[in-house]
Amino acid sequence: MSTHIARRIKAGQWFWMNKTFIQHYASRIGFSAVGVYSFLASMTDEAQQCFPSQSYIARHLGCSRATVNRAIKVLAQSKLIFVEKTENRNHLYTLLEVQCNTNETDLLHKRNTLVQKCDTNKTYKQEINNDTVVSDSPMESKENLIASDIATALDDQYHREDYLAFARTYPESFLRRILSEVKRTPYHKIKKSRSALFKYLVHYYAHKNS
């Protein structure tokens, strides 16, 4: 008896894509653009929008940021996505309607009707700036995003839990001001590391303000 278990179609664990995208666009835009589009589709909210950074996409697809950048340009030129900048200078991606005939979206098997559009992409709207790791928890998303942003900016993923503790304790504006100060500090003026300087300044300013 085979030990292989066929995938299960469980509500809330799937994202949907128009079949015409694969049938008519995949060969035109190339596999890297298909991969990036699939990743964006997996992250969109009900408005079919998301704003992950190119670095974040590249890290999860195992490719370079340049590859992601090229793929996004191809998708935009093919009018499959619309790209705009937000107030925070992040890129907001909107997946556009794929033009097709009715029969081109027919499902291959009646069992697939279990995957309903309303059951997919049960994700929380996630602000993911230039180098932030996403969180699936609605209560922790903002703190995780801040912590990941700090860890990446300081090139210190090892102490990410420390940054998460800071994000849970102090206002985001306070932490980002300190992060900006640390990043502006020349290397020759840093005794240990940027990470150590950041932690020192957090405690220093917190104590000073209190």
Side-chain angles (χ1 to χ4, degrees):
M1 182 177 179
S2 175
T3 58
H4 299 294
I5 301 175
R7 63 179 187 169
R8 295 184 176 91
I9 301 176
K10 185 176 180 181
Q13 295 185 350
W14 295 76
F15 67 91
W16 70 279
M17 289 170 53
N18 195 310
K19 286 174 58 181
T20 304
F21 171 76
I22 297 297
Q23 296 170 345
H24 293 279
Y25 285 92
S27 61
R28 305 177 189 176
I29 63 179
F31 66 90
S32 59
V34 171
V36 171
Y37 183 89
S38 300
F39 187 83
L40 294 176
S42 73
M43 299 191 66
T44 55
D45 56 18
E46 292 181 355
Q48 294 303 298
Q49 295 181 326
C50 60
F51 37 109
S53 70
Q54 293 185 4
S55 296
Y56 181 77
I57 298 172
R59 187 160 59 248
H60 282 264
L61 292 182
C63 63
S64 68
R65 183 173 178 177
T67 297
V68 173
N69 182 268
R70 287 193 296 270
I72 288 174
K73 289 181 179 179
V74 169
L75 292 170
Q77 291 170 356
S78 301
K79 296 183 179 180
L80 292 167
I81 65 173
F82 178 72
V83 186
E84 57 185 320
K85 283 191 175 182
T86 65
E87 294 180 355
N88 296 325
R89 300 181 68 183
N90 302 322
H91 286 93
L92 175 67
Y93 304 101
T94 302
L95 270 63
L96 303 177
E97 184 71 22
V98 179
Q99 300 299 318
C100 62
N101 298 321
T102 303
N103 63 344
E104 292 175 338
T105 58
D106 290 342
L107 296 173
L108 295 176
H109 192 284
K110 64 180 180 179
R111 177 176 173 80
N112 287 346
T113 58
L114 292 174
V115 183
Q116 301 294 332
K117 179 179 178 180
C118 61
D119 291 329
T120 59
N121 284 18
K122 297 292 185 179
T123 56
Y124 300 92
K125 189 170 184 180
Q126 300 154 327
E127 296 185 4
I128 307 172
N129 57 26
N130 285 338
D131 290 292
T132 304
V133 179
V134 71
S135 168
D136 293 327
S137 169
M139 298 301 294
E140 294 292 336
S141 59
K142 183 177 181 180
E143 288 80 2
N144 271 285
L145 291 171
I146 297 171
S148 297
D149 202 12
I150 294 172
T152 303
L154 298 175
D155 193 21
D156 181 30
Q157 296 295 335
Y158 183 79
H159 293 103
R160 186 177 177 280
E161 289 300 317
D162 294 339
Y163 305 136
L164 180 57
F166 286 152
R168 291 171 175 169
T169 305
Y170 305 108
E172 179 180 2
S173 58
F174 171 75
L175 295 174
R176 291 196 180 279
R177 282 198 303 271
I178 296 176
L179 180 61
S180 178
E181 180 178 342
V182 171
K183 292 175 69 175
R184 292 196 307 268
T185 304
Y187 278 106
H188 69 273
K189 291 187 177 181
I190 299 176
K191 294 182 179 180
K192 294 183 178 179
S193 65
R194 291 192 184 278
S195 174
L197 177 60
F198 177 82
K199 294 177 183 178
Y200 167 77
L201 291 178
V202 168
H203 293 299
Y204 173 78
Y205 287 125
H207 177 73
K208 182 178 180 180
N209 292 338
S210 64

